[in-house]
Amino acid sequence: MVNVFSVPVFFVCFRESLETSIIVSVLLAFLKQTLGPEREPRVWWGIIIGIAISLCIGCGMIGAFYGLGKNHFSGTEDIWEGAFGLLAALIITAMGAALLRVSKLQDKWRVKLAQALEAKDNKKRSAGDRFKRWAEKYAMFLLPFITVLREGLEAVVFIGGVGLATPASAFPLAVMCGIGAGCLVGYLVYRGGNAAKLQLFLIISTCFLYLVAAGLFSKAVWFLENNTWNHVVGGDAAETGAGPGSYDIRQSVWHINFGSPLLNGGGGWGVFNSILGWQNSATYGSVLAYNLYWVAVICGFLAMRYNEAKGHWSLMKPKAKRISESDAASDTSSQQGEVIAETYEPKKVSTDFDAARSSARQLDA
Amino acid sequence: MALSLSNFLYSSLLLLLPFGLMADAATVTFDWNVTWVRANPDGKFERPTMGINNQWPLPLLNITKGDNVIININNQLGNQSTSFHFHGLFMNGTTEMDGPVGATQCGIPPGSSFTYNFTIDQPGTYWYHAHQRGRYPDGLRGPLLVNDLESPYLGQYDEEVLLTLSDWYHDEMPELIAKFISVANPTGAEPVPNSALINDTQNVTVSVQPGRTYLFRMVNMGAFASQYFWIEGHTMTIVEVDGVYTEPAEASMIYLTAAQRYSFLLTTKNEISSNFAFVASMDHDLFDKVPEGLNSNTTGWLVYDSNVERPTPALLDAFDAFDDFNLVPQDGQKLLTNVDYVMTLDMKMDNLGDGANYAFFNDVTYVRPKVPTLYTALSTGASATDVTIYGGNTNAFVLAKDEVIEIVLNNDDPGKHPFHLHGHNFQAVLRSDEDTGFYDPVNHTAFPAVPMRRDTVWVKPNGHIVLRFTSDNPGVWLFHCHIEWHVNSGLVATIIEAPLEMQKTISIPSDHWQVCRDSQTPYAGNAAGNTVDLLDLTGENKSPAPLPAGFTAKGIVALVFSIISALLGMVVISWYGVAPIGTSELQSAEKRIAEAGTEVK
């Protein structure tokens, strides 16, 4: 069994593709329901380019390892992991909130908003504003790209580490099964997304995305602390197993000798680690990071809700002029003017994709 | 009764004989000031070393068997205390002169004086060294040779040659020990020596004449490294190990662990056409990582003709050393049977709660008691036979007098360790192969009828050794690994042999008590210094607590809080998602659409 199917390699591929496919399928389902398939290519481009780059870097690393006989990147591996993890956590956090916010608009507004993003922006804006617009425009590309890049690199690094003792014949089946299983879960999420009410689907998947992001943030801090510990001890601390010596007792909040997501591909604990950020050896840094992340997210959402309701951030003066400007804009279309007066309720999203599309088209005519 | 004259003369001669012999026994006295001396023995690095009377290397002690030795020590180091142990000497009746700090004496603090006074009644090759935390690798060690006028090999050799082997560090021990026992060294990797020395220098030459037989006496005075030793082109005939004469045994290569000694006869060649190299090579199996640039081979030469060039020794593919287990003692002492008491010591290395790596006997790591064990035994009356009064971290064993004792040492560590017993030599009745696990008294190789005897023997990785001796020497004797790093990390056991006998026969000189007062060390009571309630060990020296196992309260709280914050977060997200869009949000969305409006349609 071991010679044809390597269980550690399977688990590594499974958990990397699981994280990626969940994020991607949430994006795709959202896009399909709101904006139509025209926007989907961007997501696929993000995936493809991400895979290509991570393969190149990964092959380069493995080539260097075998060629130069030294694990050059093992010294900086934790720094890469930490940096990527932080970046991914930030992007997912921003994206998740944006998706949820946009989904509250009625279909037609979503379509118009998306189209507005596409339009060439001639007006002068501040650099921060321009970056914001650019990020929104290419968000559908950036998020899958960064995710795939990170997961791909992780997978290559882990397999490179795990696979040294494994015969080559054990790879293909394990890799294909792992990736296949991950994609299957993602597909099920996508189908679920298409069938369910968009709002409910988005709320559940956003909760899930934020769980992943919280885990990522905590892990990023953990990787940076692990990097420091490796330098103190002078080697790859995980090589001493999961027992004493593999962690810094002075920073430890809890440590159990089993359940390490690093050893031997990690197995089920690796999946736990991917989705929830589980560590068998937690530090003050990783625990605080996890909790502070949630505190920040809670405050962020509360602030956003306040801002949406009052028109300004709490502790800041309201901008009086805003309403008169939109009055001027509202003259262009009578329908828009009617809508402003009432408290707006999102229309029930039709589960039939075509009906939604046709209603959007009707409004544009 | 009538005695014939011849009978009378004969018997009076017999009576006088012992007096005649005693008249030959001398008292030799030495006055030693322990001082710092700068030295550079390997030619690569000058460093401060601990010397005697401003000299380093330390003087050779050359004593005739039967002599009484008196050494007056004055510690002029200024910043460290010390003591002296005479490795391999039984100190029968003088256990207070044995030397280990915390076992038989208090450390001699700077400025204090201490006198060692003992008689040597045993032949062979020995050495002396400091016996306190890391002092001897900083230079305080030297050879001790005993001249035996009754040696069975007397007349079989023309000259004696002394060769000492040692490893050598460039850094001083206090900082090396701090790095070794620290959270940053969780695997317990021992510091690797910077070089190796023969006779405390390098490139030693021994001038030899052709066609003569020499007695080479070798001591490994190292702190850590075992060394292979061979002489090109010549065979060695082993005649003594650790003070025990053996039947002659031929060897082309010998293996000396730290603290071991060998004497061998070497017959030189009959022509003087070439010189021959001899090599001492440190055993890399002991080193965690071999640093680049380490030269673990030290070369010397047998010089027949000083005009002829000295050859470079040939490289060897493998080390094939003589197995000292096969030696047969010359006195033919038979295997001790009818064992009265078995001391089982299971050794391992593990981490404690401070993250550092320690060494354990039976899950206890040695920590020096507040009161030196000998003083506890002498000051506690009848309770001296109760092993608990000696402390929870001294690995103490109380033995009765004149019993056959068996030590079973199970090595649960994948490293080689040389073990040494103070106060005795022992019969090595079994040394298992590597990876054979623990000793099984029911199923083992047959013991030899005349087992090898010595005082320092090594155990193979994950194997075991069985040793036997007779407890005929009342005193406090340590049994420990002679790798100095492991002594510091606690691989030490304490034997209290016949404590009630000790109380009758041992008396401590006043300068020994003075040294305790000078260093503010208590010298009466149990291991915690309690003279009133001997079973109360509160306040004794203990090792760090073990590592927390699994989830502690701290961990559970952290995990629960994290789960709560995640759940709260998801509640907030859901609440936000369900809430309708706010007025101003819609307005700003419309504004953006309008701004881009002209191009959208």
Side-chain angles (χ1 to χ4, degrees), chain B residues 250-270:
Chain B
E250 291 208 347
S252 50
M253 184 190 293
I254 54 177
Y255 182 73
L256 296 97
T257 71
Q260 282 186 335
R261 292 87 66 205
Y262 276 82
S263 293
F264 57 86
L265 296 172
L266 181 134
T267 307
T268 51
K269 298 190 186 303
N270 285 321

Side-chain angles (χ1 to χ4, degrees), chain A residues 32-44:
Chain A
K32 189 164 188 215
Q33 284 229 24
T34 58
L35 299 174
E38 307 96 55
R39 300 293 164 254
E40 289 179 21
R42 208 166 279 156
V43 176
W44 291 113

Side-chain angles (χ1 to χ4, degrees), chain A residues 101 104 133 136 199 291 308, chain B residues 565 576-577 579 584-585 592:
Chain A
R101 208 159 128 157
K104 293 209 246 185
R133 298 254 185 258
E136 284 174 349
Q199 194 73 5
N291 285 285
E308 287 170 14
Chain B
S565 45
Y576 175 83
S584 75
E585 181 62 24
R592 283 179 58 181

Side-chain angles (χ1 to χ4, degrees), chain A residues 21-297:
Chain A
S21 60
I22 286 180
I23 292 176
V24 165
S25 56
V26 167
L27 278 181
L28 287 175
F30 170 76
L31 286 175
K32 189 164 188 215
Q33 284 229 24
T34 58
L35 299 174
E38 307 96 55
R39 300 293 164 254
E40 289 179 21
R42 208 166 279 156
V43 176
W44 291 113
W45 273 117
I47 296 173
I48 290 170
I49 296 182
I51 290 180
I53 294 185
S54 65
L55 269 179
C56 286
I57 299 182
C59 291
M61 285 183 189
I62 292 191
F65 175 72
Y66 281 107
L68 300 173
K70 212 177 157 190
N71 212 357
H72 277 286
F73 59 84
S74 71
T76 51
E77 185 186 322
D78 287 330
I79 299 183
W80 281 110
E81 292 270 7
F84 267 121
L86 275 175
L87 190 60
L90 287 171
I91 292 183
I92 294 178
T93 308
M95 275 294 305
L99 282 185
L100 206 51
R101 208 159 128 157
V102 168
S103 76
K104 293 209 246 185
L105 292 174
Q106 198 184 27
D107 297 342
K108 63 170 182 178
W109 299 116
R110 279 201 286 271
V111 177
K112 293 200 172 193
L113 188 56
Q115 287 172 338
L117 285 178
E118 292 310 305
K120 293 228 168 105
D121 226 354
N122 289 327
K123 295 195 182 171
K124 281 189 185 169
R125 297 188 190 280
S126 65
D129 232 9
R130 259 184 299 163
F131 175 73
K132 201 175 154 210
R133 298 254 185 258
W134 177 86
E136 284 174 349
K137 200 163 165 183
Y138 287 100
M140 293 297 152
F141 170 81
L142 274 179
L143 183 55
F145 173 68
I146 291 283
T147 306
V148 170
L149 192 62
R150 191 175 52 82
E151 304 294 350
L153 276 175
E154 254 188 53
V156 169
V157 164
F158 268 118
I159 291 178
V162 165
L164 283 179
T166 320
S169 58
F171 273 80
L173 193 59
V175 169
M176 289 194 304
C177 283
I179 295 181
C183 291
L184 180 66
V185 174
Y187 179 68
L188 289 173
V189 170
Y190 175 69
R191 287 295 298 268
N194 275 336
K197 289 189 218 174
L198 184 63
Q199 194 73 5
L200 184 64
F201 169 74
L202 268 187
I203 291 176
I204 293 176
S205 54
T206 306
C207 284
F208 194 73
L209 279 182
Y210 272 92
L211 268 178
V212 172
L216 273 176
F217 189 67
S218 164
K219 275 194 293 179
V221 172
W222 186 91
F223 273 118
L224 292 175
E225 288 192 314
N226 199 40
N227 179 60
T228 313
W229 176 241
N230 280 341
H231 280 103
V232 164
V233 173
D236 194 348
E239 277 171 26
T240 58
S246 63
Y247 64 102
D248 188 345
I249 184 78
R250 301 166 293 191
Q251 303 291 343
S252 176
V253 174
W254 75 70
H255 178 94
I256 47 180
N257 288 346
F258 60 94
S260 165
L262 285 179
L263 275 190
N264 231 9
W269 296 104
V271 179
F272 210 21
N273 168 270
S274 268
I275 299 185
L276 294 174
W278 157 260
Q279 293 291 355
N280 70 312
S281 183
T283 62
Y284 285 108
S286 71
V287 170
L288 279 172
Y290 192 81
N291 285 285
L292 287 176
Y293 176 85
W294 280 117
V295 168
V297 163

Side-chain angles (χ1 to χ4, degrees), chain B residues 261-407:
Chain B
R261 292 87 66 205
Y262 276 82
S263 293
F264 57 86
L265 296 172
L266 181 134
T267 307
T268 51
K269 298 190 186 303
N270 285 321
E271 71 270 322
I272 59 167
S273 50
S274 43
N275 299 323
F276 291 86
F278 55 81
V279 185
S281 183
M282 294 199 280
D283 185 1
H284 283 187
D285 284 349
L286 296 165
F287 299 161
D288 189 56
K289 258 189 279 190
V290 184
E292 274 181 56
L294 171 69
N295 184 8
S296 33
N297 300 329
T298 328
T299 312
W301 289 270
L302 287 184
V303 175
Y304 286 84
D305 182 351
S306 51
N307 297 318
V308 178
E309 57 123 31
R310 294 180 220 162
T312 323
L315 290 174
L316 298 177
D317 283 327
F319 293 114
D320 187 16
F322 183 85
D323 186 353
D324 63 336
F325 193 77
N326 298 328
L327 291 168
V328 180
Q330 204 258 350
D331 62 6
Q333 188 195 79
K334 292 208 172 18
L335 172 73
L336 292 167
T337 51
N338 299 322
V339 170
D340 295 302
Y341 183 76
V342 179
M343 268 173 63
T344 308
L345 294 167
D346 299 332
M347 73 151 276
K348 68 166 187 195
M349 316 282 232
D350 202 355
N351 297 75
L352 287 177
D354 62 349
N357 192 274
Y358 291 88
F360 297 78
F361 273 137
N362 301 338
D363 291 321
V364 174
T365 183
Y366 180 86
V367 178
R368 209 187 290 158
K370 281 194 166 152
V371 174
T373 311
L374 174 62
Y375 302 155
T376 299
L378 293 177
S379 64
T380 48
S383 303
T385 49
D386 183 351
V387 75
T388 29
I389 67 167
Y390 297 103
N393 273 106
T394 49
N395 289 318
F397 293 85
V398 175
L399 303 182
K401 191 165 187 305
D402 293 325
E403 290 197 338
V404 175
I405 313 291
E406 181 175 272
I407 298 181

